[in-house]
Amino acid sequence: MPSTLAADKAVRPTTVPAPAARGGHRHASLTVRGKDRPGIVAAVGAVLGEHGANIVSLDQYSDNPQGGAFFQRTVFGLDHLGAALPAIEEGLRQRLAGDFELEFTLRDLSVPKRVAVFASKSDHCLLDLLWRHRRGQLPVSVAMVISNHPDTAEEVRSFGIPFFHVPSAGADKSAAEAAQLRLLRGNVDFIVLARYMQILSADFIERVGVPIINIHHSFLPAFIGAGPYAKAKERGVKLVGATAHYVTENLDEGPIIEQDVVRVSHADTAAELQRRGADVERAVLTRAVQWHAEDRVIRHGNHTIVFA
Amino acid sequence: MPSTLAADKAVRPTTVPAPAARGGHRHASLTVRGKDRPGIVAAVGAVLGEHGANIVSLDQYSDNPQGGAFFQRTVFGLDHLGAALPAIEEGLRQRLAGDFELEFTLRDLSVPKRVAVFASKSDHCLLDLLWRHRRGQLPVSVAMVISNHPDTAEEVRSFGIPFFHVPSAGADKSAAEAAQLRLLRGNVDFIVLARYMQILSADFIERVGVPIINIHHSFLPAFIGAGPYAKAKERGVKLVGATAHYVTENLDEGPIIEQDVVRVSHADTAAELQRRGADVERAVLTRAVQWHAEDRVIRHGNHTIVFA
Amino acid sequence: MPSTLAADKAVRPTTVPAPAARGGHRHASLTVRGKDRPGIVAAVGAVLGEHGANIVSLDQYSDNPQGGAFFQRTVFGLDHLGAALPAIEEGLRQRLAGDFELEFTLRDLSVPKRVAVFASKSDHCLLDLLWRHRRGQLPVSVAMVISNHPDTAEEVRSFGIPFFHVPSAGADKSAAEAAQLRLLRGNVDFIVLARYMQILSADFIERVGVPIINIHHSFLPAFIGAGPYAKAKERGVKLVGATAHYVTENLDEGPIIEQDVVRVSHADTAAELQRRGADVERAVLTRAVQWHAEDRVIRHGNHTIVFA
Amino acid sequence: MPSTLAADKAVRPTTVPAPAARGGHRHASLTVRGKDRPGIVAAVGAVLGEHGANIVSLDQYSDNPQGGAFFQRTVFGLDHLGAALPAIEEGLRQRLAGDFELEFTLRDLSVPKRVAVFASKSDHCLLDLLWRHRRGQLPVSVAMVISNHPDTAEEVRSFGIPFFHVPSAGADKSAAEAAQLRLLRGNVDFIVLARYMQILSADFIERVGVPIINIHHSFLPAFIGAGPYAKAKERGVKLVGATAHYVTENLDEGPIIEQDVVRVSHADTAAELQRRGADVERAVLTRAVQWHAEDRVIRHGNHTIVFA
């Protein structure tokens, strides 16, 4: 199948409207974080109210009302959202950043985040993401798939998604990472490692400048590192799990977004643990990607606040 | 054990401080419901802000932002909460009831709701509630246990809770219900049917005037009515469940608060389904009672909004 | 893509070796059912032992040891299995059918069962089955996909599986069912309805003569019939589920093979219940198909014995 | 309440008939383990058949049919079981121990195993075990509760169970362990550590000579050692769990019997993790105790085979 056709096809499926936009008019998300002080919720409500915005959902969390950290996610609707956003942003800047010294992010939910999926030979997480995306269930735009193996190229392109093969041979990954950075620069809002079997360098993580979500095939912090299913079999656990987390310099130690487990028994071989675990991996990764895409996840130190 | 001692003991364990009050100063909950219109969240925030209240948590839901039904639960803290509540209530009345035609309920969370538990011979739900209550995990005051069987009297009183035996013989329950009403009048804020095996009359439900939570031993609407475990065995289901719901005139058809299930197999007899189901019943009922006690459940027609 | 190529491709992926055969030599399954009497297990063991077979796994269940119904599944290995099976079968016939009046089925597990998948427009169950099959995780041979809509033809054929479009217009389905029967006759060992939206006639069920597995998108017996997610939303349940069952003349009332549920909330629309439920549907159907393919499911009246 | 009364009461509730005996005549369990060879199942069946025993359930597992380890649990019924057991045992010894060099254990299931429960201040696991026992749901005889704190004495004795307070002060536990051994000697078949907060010495484990089951309040191997809920909060996990395992010299590293988890969120404090986890702990410990009591658990190196 010629790649031009693939590119043509990609136009439609990758610009799925975000679910939050289905209500008729458009929605935006506002996430706020900073030191908790009385009056923040009222101030946000007042600014949005002044612009005629209608709050559709609001979640708020404070890890200590007496001066702890404050987190809020608000989704609001407005008839001429795009035109009004700059003024709303300016209003929020004055009230939140000025009076309260809070950080905030304002985003038009009808513009899906652009994601690059990194993969290797395993295709279960990759294909499940592409499949859900095609069904209109993942509010993202899949900009590209990058893999260090060519195996899934044809399948990926059949979804209308560009596929790039960036081999990763030898200990020195600087050339491969440079090639990845050239593809990604300016094109993506976050990266998903869908069972990508290479370790990203600290330098890459810093230079790429967008959040990276990884799926680890164990219930972290159990079985950190390589071969978790073999380790699980060796230890004789009765459940195996998967963990989606943000990637940091420390392998498998970044902030956890989501986890889940499935029951196994003495009769399951390590290969069967892997097969059962694969179902959990794809489910957990899907939830993490969806929540990240909808601004439901706020990082705070090595933790996450998830308004799911 | 003399009942006076039981009554003495009851003073301490039944006035457990609500968890929400642990933060240092006291907390109140505000639930708001009515027709959705822009500006409600800001208005609530403004009134609370004027009184120096700090919002600890806020959940909001609208079943249709274009004029649907609006629901909000806010927990806020304030140093001299008791003294300030009347003025806050007046402020909310003017803003919410006046401008927005909303209904609201304001409640001091440090005053636990008073509950009467109705039971029959089965003790698993009853004892689990009393146990959790004694451990300080249920933010309620257990005012009394009423049973149509005397079997659990000694056990209940050992928790320091008054026990009243109100037999329910024959088809005419009016005498028994009248006796129950005399015990309850003015003493309780809600009633929990902890596997109480009598059907309450519509007249009782109306006259008692407080919410009644029932635990049904099936995943409703499957297996409505009597003998759900036998019916489940007969149908050959692979999961059995339990449902906590508000009691209405229509048996097993009131608004569902919480449900859960547990896996069973062909090898489980109806008695074993019952044993496995009993664990789910007590877990589901506990969650429903806790959520109701913390004003996390809002009834809306035959549905519930649960901010858990 | 020319269909001849698709057919070529189909040769490999559809003859996946059954997992039970991975041990080195080949395995057979023996299922036995009938009236429980002492000595059955020993008799089975004796016959297998006489032929040098090694029992790999054995599950046994009796619904009442005093003359109830007896069920047994045995997997055994043997070096020259194919050559030995006829003699083993004859030995079992004499001992089990003769002495004990039991029914039994003996099957070479290295020969995967042939399945036809029936589908309509929804593709999530269909594609998940094909995907798992391609990954070598479903021990079946997918003989064909039959759909009353052409939508999934290209996708199905990309897996190397024959696709047949049999439209089903109007109230009279006899022509469509006759066409289906011509395609199926002699070619399949069972049928899977992967969200096939047509009701099969009693005549078809009888004439096709092989087991039919359906996935119903609710936790049966709740929400029988059409539109279960809308009904679930209307009732306000807190979990939605799916049920895989054998098809009988009575819609949604056949023997249940497997069920599962997922948590939902008041904030989920009927469309979101459907999306969450879809994940449960494909997981439940996969387990049912795998268990059926491995002879782990024994029908008994309107129940199933599942040795999973 | 005088202790003699407690002792009197104990006679009845602690000799609950094992569930397996409910069928009318009595049942025995036979567990077999050793090197896998063809013919074991048939040999067991033959010996049992010669004595007229009827096999009620049979589970078998081999970790490698080509000379791996073989495990089998058989439950059988017989009219005059007690009288027949010695002859059956002799028959098994000749066939299994002689021909096959297998180890086996034969046990009359109508004689419940005697257990000592060790506890400290936490009562949730302890009381749930006693409660289930009183309801006839745990097929054990609770011989005694030993605690290093006197707090639960009254409650334990109200169940009719002897309570012994053995303080454990200072680093030298030899005196306390000697006192425990004197109480236990000859009186118990296994020990359950129901959130017992003392570490048992290797010397005690060896001298007591019966299996010891511990409940650890995390999903092992995550969060080994003290304070797992605080560690879980620190790491930001989205599930907390519990693990029941046999005690070995290596803390938290013995063979795992059962595990389970429950979902938590960023909003749960460490205290709330503990509260949610407590429900999982008691459920997991109950299952482990029941399975051990019914001979469903076979230890194999650092693993368990669980025929549940």
Side-chain angles (χ1 to χ4, degrees):
Chain A
M1 185 183 287
S3 62
T4 49
L5 182 60
D8 264 356
K9 270 191 177 172
V11 175
R12 279 165 300 119
T14 57
T15 51
V16 172
R22 287 177 189 148
H25 58 186
R26 280 158 65 191
H27 290 148
S29 76
L30 168 66
T31 52
V32 177
R33 52 173 298 181
K35 190 158 173 287
D36 195 5
R37 290 167 54 184
I40 302 176
V41 173
V44 169
V47 174
L48 295 180
E50 287 161 14
H51 291 84
N54 191 24
I55 295 178
V56 174
S57 82
L58 192 158
D59 293 286
Q60 186 266 354
Y61 170 65
S62 171
D63 65 5
N64 182 351
Q66 320 290 9
F70 172 93
F71 308 90
Q72 184 178 313
R73 175 185 185 263
T74 308
V75 174
F76 60 90
L78 197 56
D79 271 340
H80 302 283
L81 182 72
L85 276 183
I88 295 176
E89 187 157 17
E90 181 53 33
L92 290 166
R93 180 165 298 119
Q94 289 176 15
R95 297 292 293 275
L96 299 186
D99 302 359
F100 291 97
E101 302 177 56
L102 297 164
E103 296 169 40
F104 72 90
T105 308
L106 185 66
R107 205 171 66 76
D108 183 343
L109 282 172
S110 67
V111 181
K113 290 186 182 177
R114 301 162 303 163
V115 63
V117 183
F118 280 38
S120 292
K121 288 194 171 182
S122 271
D123 64 0
H124 58 285
C125 286
L126 169 65
L127 293 185
D128 205 51
L129 286 175
L130 299 187
W131 212 16
R132 290 176 190 273
H133 176 254
R134 186 175 66 185
R135 291 165 59 87
Q137 292 178 353
L138 271 190
V140 297
S141 166
V142 182
M144 67 188 75
V145 170
I146 295 177
S147 177
N148 58 328
H149 291 285
D151 310 45
T152 58
E154 190 184 353
E155 184 96 27
V156 168
R157 287 176 180 145
S158 79
F159 283 91
I161 308 285
F163 175 93
F164 300 107
H165 177 213
V166 180
S168 181
D172 183 3
K173 293 174 187 162
S174 56
E177 292 192 346
Q180 292 168 340
L181 284 170
R182 278 191 300 274
L183 291 166
L184 298 166
R185 192 90 66 198
N187 289 325
V188 302
D189 299 305
F190 70 112
I191 294 170
V192 171
L193 308 185
R195 297 299 308 278
Y196 181 63
M197 302 306 278
Q198 300 291 320
I199 295 171
L200 299 173
S201 71
D203 180 63
F204 176 89
I205 295 169
E206 189 190 333
R207 289 175 64 196
V208 76
V210 295
I212 305 172
I213 295 174
N214 183 45
I215 181 74
H216 183 75
H217 39 319
S218 83
F219 178 79
L220 289 175
F223 310 128
I224 285 181
Y229 291 122
K231 289 174 184 166
K233 180 66 185 171
E234 172 60 27
R235 182 62 187 92
V237 291
K238 302 301 184 185
L239 303 167
V240 295
T243 303
H245 63 93
Y246 289 112
V247 173
T248 61
E249 290 186 36
N250 302 311
L251 186 66
D252 301 339
E253 303 207 340
I256 293 170
I257 304 169
E258 172 62 342
Q259 304 185 288
D260 216 335
V261 295
V262 67
R263 188 160 287 275
V264 297
S265 90
H266 60 265
D268 292 311
T269 61
E272 284 156 349
L273 297 193
Q274 186 170 347
R275 186 175 62 77
R276 288 174 186 269
D279 284 357
V280 183
E281 293 167 29
R282 67 181 193 176
V284 165
L285 182 58
T286 291
R287 293 202 286 271
V289 169
Q290 178 166 356
W291 294 340
H292 178 84
E294 296 174 352
D295 302 314
R296 295 179 182 277
V297 190
I298 304 178
R299 288 171 72 159
H300 178 56
N302 206 44
H303 291 188
T304 61
I305 315 304
V306 180
F307 294 126
Chain B
M1 186 183 287
S3 63
T4 50
L5 182 60
D8 263 357
K9 270 191 179 175
V11 176
R12 281 164 297 120
T14 57
T15 51
V16 172
R22 288 176 189 150
H25 58 186
R26 280 158 64 191
H27 290 148
S29 76
L30 167 67
T31 52
V32 177
R33 53 173 298 182
K35 191 157 171 289
D36 195 5
R37 291 168 53 185
I40 302 175
V41 174
V44 169
V47 173
L48 296 179
E50 287 160 14
H51 292 84
N54 190 24
I55 295 177
V56 173
S57 82
L58 192 156
D59 293 286
Q60 186 266 354
Y61 170 65
S62 171
D63 65 5
N64 183 351
Q66 319 291 7
F70 172 94
F71 308 90
Q72 183 178 313
R73 175 185 185 263
T74 308
V75 174
F76 60 90
L78 197 56
D79 271 341
H80 301 284
L81 182 72
L85 276 183
I88 295 175
E89 187 157 18
E90 181 53 34
L92 289 167
R93 180 165 299 119
Q94 289 177 16
R95 297 292 294 275
L96 298 186
D99 301 359
F100 291 97
E101 304 176 57
L102 297 163
E103 297 171 39
F104 70 91
T105 308
L106 185 65
R107 206 172 66 76
D108 183 344
L109 282 172
S110 67
V111 181
K113 290 186 182 176
R114 302 162 304 162
V115 64
V117 183
F118 280 39
S120 292
K121 288 195 171 181
S122 271
D123 64 1
H124 57 285
C125 286
L126 169 65
L127 294 185
D128 206 51
L129 286 175
L130 298 186
W131 212 18
R132 289 176 190 273
H133 177 254
R134 186 174 65 186
R135 291 164 59 87
Q137 291 178 353
L138 271 191
V140 297
S141 166
V142 182
M144 67 187 74
V145 170
I146 294 177
S147 177
N148 57 328
H149 290 284
D151 309 46
T152 58
E154 190 184 353
E155 184 95 27
V156 168
R157 287 174 180 147
S158 79
F159 283 90
I161 308 285
F163 175 94
F164 300 107
H165 177 213
V166 181
S168 181
D172 183 2
K173 294 174 186 163
S174 57
E177 292 193 346
Q180 292 167 341
L181 284 170
R182 278 191 300 274
L183 290 165
L184 297 167
R185 191 90 66 199
N187 289 325
V188 301
D189 299 305
F190 71 112
I191 293 170
V192 171
L193 308 185
R195 296 300 308 277
Y196 181 63
M197 302 306 279
Q198 300 290 319
I199 295 171
L200 299 173
S201 70
D203 180 63
F204 176 90
I205 295 169
E206 188 190 333
R207 290 175 64 196
V208 75
V210 296
I212 305 172
I213 295 173
N214 183 45
I215 181 75
H216 183 75
H217 39 320
S218 83
F219 178 79
L220 289 175
F223 311 127
I224 285 181
Y229 292 122
K231 289 173 184 167
K233 180 67 186 170
E234 172 61 26
R235 182 61 187 92
V237 292
K238 302 301 184 185
L239 303 168
V240 295
T243 303
H245 63 93
Y246 288 113
V247 173
T248 62
E249 289 187 37
N250 302 310
L251 185 66
D252 301 339
E253 302 206 342
I256 293 170
I257 304 169
E258 172 63 342
Q259 304 186 286
D260 216 336
V261 294
V262 67
R263 189 160 287 275
V264 297
S265 91
H266 61 264
D268 292 312
T269 61
E272 283 156 350
L273 297 193
Q274 185 170 347
R275 186 176 61 75
R276 288 174 186 270
D279 284 356
V280 183
E281 294 167 28
R282 68 182 193 176
V284 164
L285 182 59
T286 292
R287 293 203 286 270
V289 169
Q290 178 167 355
W291 294 341
H292 178 85
E294 296 174 353
D295 302 313
R296 295 178 182 276
V297 190
I298 303 179
R299 288 171 72 158
H300 178 56
N302 208 43
H303 291 188
T304 61
I305 315 304
V306 180
F307 294 125
Chain C
M1 186 184 289
S3 63
T4 50
L5 182 60
D8 263 357
K9 270 190 178 172
V11 176
R12 280 166 296 121
T14 59
T15 53
V16 172
R22 288 177 190 148
H25 59 186
R26 279 159 64 190
H27 291 148
S29 76
L30 167 66
T31 53
V32 177
R33 52 173 297 181
K35 190 157 171 288
D36 196 4
R37 290 168 52 185
I40 301 175
V41 173
V44 169
V47 173
L48 295 180
E50 288 161 12
H51 291 85
N54 190 24
I55 295 178
V56 174
S57 82
L58 193 158
D59 293 287
Q60 184 266 354
Y61 170 66
S62 172
D63 65 4
N64 183 352
Q66 319 291 8
F70 172 93
F71 308 91
Q72 184 178 313
R73 175 184 185 264
T74 309
V75 174
F76 61 90
L78 198 55
D79 270 341
H80 301 283
L81 181 72
L85 275 183
I88 295 176
E89 186 157 18
E90 182 52 32
L92 289 167
R93 180 166 297 120
Q94 288 177 17
R95 298 292 292 275
L96 298 186
D99 301 359
F100 292 97
E101 305 176 56
L102 296 164
E103 297 170 39
F104 70 91
T105 307
L106 186 64
R107 205 171 66 77
D108 184 345
L109 281 172
S110 68
V111 182
K113 290 186 182 175
R114 301 161 303 161
V115 63
V117 183
F118 280 38
S120 293
K121 289 194 170 180
S122 271
D123 63 1
H124 58 285
C125 286
L126 168 65
L127 293 185
D128 205 51
L129 286 174
L130 299 187
W131 235 11
R132 290 176 190 274
H133 176 254
R134 186 175 65 186
R135 291 164 59 88
Q137 292 179 352
L138 271 191
V140 297
S141 167
V142 182
M144 67 188 73
V145 170
I146 294 177
S147 177
N148 57 329
H149 291 284
D151 311 43
T152 58
E154 189 184 353
E155 183 96 27
V156 168
R157 287 176 181 146
S158 79
F159 283 90
I161 308 286
F163 176 94
F164 300 107
H165 177 212
V166 180
S168 182
D172 183 2
K173 293 174 187 162
S174 57
E177 292 192 346
Q180 292 167 340
L181 284 169
R182 279 192 299 274
L183 291 165
L184 298 167
R185 191 90 64 199
N187 288 325
V188 302
D189 299 306
F190 70 112
I191 293 170
V192 171
L193 309 185
R195 297 299 308 278
Y196 181 63
M197 302 306 278
Q198 301 290 320
I199 295 172
L200 299 172
S201 72
D203 181 62
F204 176 89
I205 295 169
E206 189 190 333
R207 291 175 64 197
V208 77
V210 295
I212 305 172
I213 296 174
N214 182 45
I215 180 74
H216 183 75
H217 39 319
S218 83
F219 178 79
L220 288 174
F223 310 127
I224 286 182
Y229 291 122
K231 289 174 184 165
K233 180 66 187 172
E234 171 61 27
R235 182 61 186 92
V237 293
K238 302 302 185 185
L239 304 167
V240 296
T243 303
H245 63 95
Y246 287 114
V247 173
T248 62
E249 290 187 35
N250 302 311
L251 184 66
D252 301 340
E253 303 208 340
I256 293 170
I257 304 169
E258 172 64 340
Q259 304 186 286
D260 215 335
V261 294
V262 68
R263 189 160 285 275
V264 296
S265 89
H266 61 264
D268 291 312
T269 61
E272 283 156 350
L273 297 193
Q274 186 169 346
R275 186 176 62 75
R276 288 173 186 270
D279 285 355
V280 183
E281 293 167 29
R282 66 181 194 175
V284 164
L285 182 58
T286 291
R287 293 203 285 270
V289 169
Q290 177 166 356
W291 293 342
H292 178 85
E294 296 174 352
D295 302 313
R296 295 178 182 276
V297 190
I298 304 178
R299 287 171 74 157
H300 177 57
N302 206 44
H303 291 188
T304 61
I305 316 303
V306 180
F307 294 126
Chain D
M1 187 183 287
S3 63
T4 50
L5 181 60
D8 263 357
K9 270 190 179 175
V11 176
R12 280 165 297 119
T14 58
T15 52
V16 173
R22 288 174 189 151
H25 58 187
R26 279 158 65 190
H27 290 149
S29 76
L30 167 66
T31 52
V32 177
R33 52 173 297 181
K35 191 158 171 286
D36 195 4
R37 290 168 52 184
I40 302 176
V41 173
V44 169
V47 174
L48 295 180
E50 288 160 13
H51 292 84
N54 190 24
I55 295 178
V56 175
S57 82
L58 192 157
D59 294 286
Q60 185 265 354
Y61 170 66
S62 171
D63 65 4
N64 183 352
Q66 319 290 8
F70 172 94
F71 308 90
Q72 184 178 313
R73 174 184 186 263
T74 309
V75 174
F76 61 90
L78 198 56
D79 270 342
H80 302 284
L81 182 72
L85 276 183
I88 295 176
E89 187 157 18
E90 182 52 32
L92 290 167
R93 179 166 297 118
Q94 288 177 18
R95 297 292 293 276
L96 298 186
D99 301 0
F100 292 97
E101 304 177 55
L102 296 164
E103 297 171 38
F104 71 91
T105 308
L106 186 64
R107 205 170 67 77
D108 183 344
L109 281 173
S110 68
V111 182
K113 291 187 182 175
R114 302 162 303 162
V115 63
V117 182
F118 280 38
S120 292
K121 289 195 171 180
S122 271
D123 63 2
H124 58 285
C125 286
L126 169 66
L127 293 185
D128 205 51
L129 286 174
L130 298 186
W131 237 10
R132 290 175 190 273
H133 176 256
R134 186 175 64 187
R135 291 164 58 88
Q137 291 178 352
L138 271 190
V140 297
S141 166
V142 182
M144 67 188 72
V145 171
I146 294 178
S147 177
N148 58 328
H149 290 284
D151 311 43
T152 58
E154 190 184 354
E155 183 97 27
V156 168
R157 287 175 181 146
S158 78
F159 283 90
I161 307 287
F163 176 94
F164 300 108
H165 177 212
V166 181
S168 182
D172 183 2
K173 293 173 187 165
S174 56
E177 291 192 346
Q180 292 167 341
L181 284 169
R182 280 191 299 274
L183 291 165
L184 297 167
R185 191 90 65 200
N187 288 324
V188 301
D189 300 305
F190 71 113
I191 293 170
V192 171
L193 309 184
R195 296 300 308 277
Y196 181 64
M197 303 306 279
Q198 300 290 319
I199 295 172
L200 299 172
S201 71
D203 180 64
F204 176 89
I205 295 169
E206 188 191 333
R207 291 174 66 196
V208 77
V210 296
I212 305 172
I213 295 174
N214 183 44
I215 180 74
H216 183 74
H217 39 319
S218 83
F219 178 79
L220 290 175
F223 311 127
I224 286 181
Y229 292 121
K231 289 174 184 165
K233 179 67 185 171
E234 172 61 27
R235 181 62 187 91
V237 292
K238 302 301 185 185
L239 303 167
V240 296
T243 303
H245 63 95
Y246 288 113
V247 173
T248 62
E249 290 186 35
N250 302 311
L251 184 66
D252 301 339
E253 303 207 341
I256 293 171
I257 303 170
E258 172 64 340
Q259 304 185 287
D260 215 336
V261 294
V262 67
R263 188 160 286 276
V264 296
S265 89
H266 61 265
D268 291 312
T269 61
E272 282 156 351
L273 297 194
Q274 186 170 346
R275 185 177 62 76
R276 287 173 186 270
D279 285 355
V280 183
E281 293 168 28
R282 67 181 193 175
V284 164
L285 182 59
T286 292
R287 294 202 286 271
V289 169
Q290 178 166 355
W291 295 341
H292 178 84
E294 296 174 353
D295 302 313
R296 295 178 183 276
V297 190
I298 303 178
R299 287 170 73 157
H300 177 55
N302 207 45
H303 291 188
T304 61
I305 316 303
V306 180
F307 294 126

